[in-house]
Amino acid sequence: MPSRSARALVAPHTALVALFTAGYLAPYLLPTLVGRLSAGLGLGPSQAGLVGSILLLGSASAGFTLAARVDRVGPRRAARLGLTAMAVGYGTAAATHELPLVVLGAVVGGFGSGTSTAVAAAGIAGRPDPHRASALGLLSVSAAAGALYLTLPRLGGGHTLPFAAIAVTAVAVWPATKALAPATGPGPRAGQEPPVTGPLPHRRAGTVLAGAILLWSMAQNALWGVSGRIGLTQAGLSEVALGAVFAVALGAGLAGVVVAGALGSRLGRAVPIGAGTALIAGCVLLSSAAATPTTFATGEIAWNALYPVVLSYLLGLAASLDPRGRWAVLVGSASSLGVACGPVTGSVLSEAAGYPGMGVTLCALLLLIAVPMTAVARHVSGRPLVPGSVRRRGGAPAALLAATTTPTPALVPQLGAPEQDIAPIHLDAPARHAARSAYDLARPSDRA
């Protein structure tokens, strides 16, 4: 029977994964959200993409707002505020066909999604193995989105169902917030270590990573936002067949996340991030130029198998920059901002250059930004970011515990048995200055 302390450690981890799933569900459902807004409300492709971008801008703004405030507000309170905003916002968007109310609901719901993601990212950064925790979160959201892609086309059209599904997910996740910590208030509680303070560490590496992941997410979600239209108009799939392709693609993403979790730090971070991004660029090129269902399905499935793998390493890399989770939240918010710009970017590029021309542009951008992301990964993996930093056990790829040059007891857990005090041994002066002859080798003349 597991111990009480072991059971207590499981619940917060499960709550973080549930929050991660709820927060990331809207971006994962972006193709069907944009497509159904276009068909159900009579919007053009650019207008529908703009609504999707507004939703994701709300998500990104929540992350930037809460980057360093999750501990101060309290994870439980912040998570509940986010889930409430999701339920109210997405529920309102689902219940009306008035465009202003749909947009308002998307903004409120997007802010709630970003809040949930920020709480999850900050909590995951403090876990013993942030990479594996991120992989488990991506595994969960991929499974949820895949099930919805299989189910929604069979239940009817319109924008109501996907928005309602996200709102229901937020309500279902609410009970898990009981496992999260409440607000700590202005000072530490009795028996608790004082909160870690100090400036944001590793600003150069974090800034480069945040800027690169913004473009990385924008490039991929530019295609993801118009993938539904490519499948329907260029590749000739029906809506049911398109939903099946997306479900299989997300299933491939599940397999990719499992592989990433099993590999852990064996390949480091530079190889999965650099080589994975290069392979994704090829998949983007293939999907955008697809003229047959087979080619489209191949590109989408391969792309979605690689995307969560690289993303899990990027999130783990961000978490290793600051154990308080500030860089994890900021990098995640930069990714959300890139996701928000994706639908509009994809719509504009596809209308200007066609889907194949859009694919060439996005492929070149992904290959270009793979260079700085790989450089940051090599910098982090090649040497400790902080002199004297301690690496965590459990297979975390270069997950660092130290946030400053002087690690605090709250950040560095004790490993093994506690050290015992050693009593000093005092030598008197005659013993310290003993004659050298006392240590000489015995000679035959000494035996007499």
Side-chain angles (χ1 to χ4, degrees), residues 190-440:
Q192 289 183 339
E193 296 288 347
V196 182
T197 58
L200 190 65
H202 320 305
R203 296 191 176 187
R204 180 179 300 176
T207 302
V208 171
L209 181 62
I213 201 172
L214 188 154
L215 297 175
W216 186 84
S217 297
M218 183 191 71
Q220 298 191 72
N221 284 277
L223 176 61
W224 186 238
V226 298
S227 287
R229 299 205 298 272
I230 294 176
L232 292 173
T233 62
Q234 183 171 283
L237 279 77
S238 65
E239 186 176 358
V240 173
L242 181 65
V245 169
F246 285 152
V248 173
L250 292 174
L254 294 177
V257 172
V258 171
V259 171
L263 285 176
S265 60
R266 291 182 179 88
L267 297 178
R269 289 198 187 96
V271 172
I273 290 175
T277 299
L279 291 174
I280 286 173
C283 295
V284 168
L285 193 63
L286 179 64
S287 293
S288 62
T292 63
T294 302
T295 305
F296 177 79
T298 301
E300 291 290 317
I301 292 171
W303 172 33
N304 281 275
L306 293 167
Y307 171 82
V309 175
V310 181
L311 181 60
S312 68
Y313 279 95
L314 288 170
L315 295 178
L317 177 61
S320 72
L321 297 177
D322 178 20
R324 290 187 63 192
R326 289 172 291 179
W327 274 123
V329 175
L330 288 172
V331 169
S333 300
S335 177
S336 297
L337 184 59
V339 171
C341 297
V344 172
T345 302
S347 297
V348 171
L349 287 176
S350 61
E351 290 180 359
Y355 295 127
M358 176 197 67
V360 172
T361 304
L362 299 179
C363 176
L365 179 60
L366 285 170
L367 292 176
L368 183 64
I369 62 177
V371 177
M373 291 195 303
T374 305
V376 173
R378 287 177 59 86
H379 172 73
V380 174
S381 301
R383 59 186 177 88
L385 288 175
V386 180
S389 61
V390 180
R391 294 181 184 270
R392 276 185 255 192
R393 299 190 299 174
L400 302 178
L401 290 177
T404 62
T405 55
T406 305
T408 63
L411 293 180
V412 183
Q414 180 175 292
L415 302 179
E419 295 182 359
Q420 304 296 324
D421 293 335
I422 300 176
I425 300 175
H426 301 285
L427 299 177
D428 54 12
R432 291 198 304 268
H433 301 288
R436 182 176 179 179
S437 59
Y439 301 98
D440 287 343

Side-chain angles (χ1 to χ4, degrees), residues 21-255:
T21 302
Y24 264 88
L25 189 58
Y28 266 69
L29 293 179
L30 190 61
T32 191
L33 287 174
V34 172
R36 291 188 176 219
L37 284 171
S38 179
L41 298 180
L43 302 177
S46 297
Q47 293 172 320
L50 180 60
V51 175
S53 294
I54 290 173
L55 183 159
L56 296 171
L57 280 173
S59 179
S61 65
F64 287 120
T65 302
L66 295 172
R69 297 179 176 86
V70 173
D71 289 338
R72 190 183 313 165
V73 176
R76 183 187 300 171
R77 181 186 299 174
R80 288 179 173 179
L81 288 174
L83 293 174
T84 301
M86 288 179 63
V88 173
Y90 294 131
T92 300
T96 182
H97 286 76
E98 297 294 329
L99 183 59
L101 289 178
V102 172
V103 173
L104 178 62
V107 172
V108 175
F111 192 87
S113 293
T115 302
S116 299
T117 303
V119 176
I124 286 173
R127 301 295 300 176
D129 191 345
H131 172 254
R132 294 185 188 276
S134 300
L136 185 58
L138 290 170
L139 188 69
S140 177
V141 71
S142 296
L148 289 174
Y149 273 118
L150 283 176
T151 306
L152 292 178
R154 303 179 184 279
L155 297 178
H159 71 283
T160 297
L161 288 175
F163 279 117
I166 304 173
V168 169
T169 301
V171 174
V173 169
W174 176 278
T177 59
K178 294 180 181 179
L180 300 176
T184 57
R189 294 182 178 182
Q192 289 183 339
E193 296 288 347
V196 182
T197 58
L200 190 65
H202 320 305
R203 296 191 176 187
R204 180 179 300 176
T207 302
V208 171
L209 181 62
I213 201 172
L214 188 154
L215 297 175
W216 186 84
S217 297
M218 183 191 71
Q220 298 191 72
N221 284 277
L223 176 61
W224 186 238
V226 298
S227 287
R229 299 205 298 272
I230 294 176
L232 292 173
T233 62
Q234 183 171 283
L237 279 77
S238 65
E239 186 176 358
V240 173
L242 181 65
V245 169
F246 285 152
V248 173
L250 292 174
L254 294 177

Side-chain angles (χ1 to χ4, degrees), residues 1-14 127-128 179:
M1 182 177 179
S3 65
R4 182 177 179 181
S5 60
R7 290 195 303 268
L9 290 174
V10 174
H13 179 75
T14 304
R127 301 295 300 176

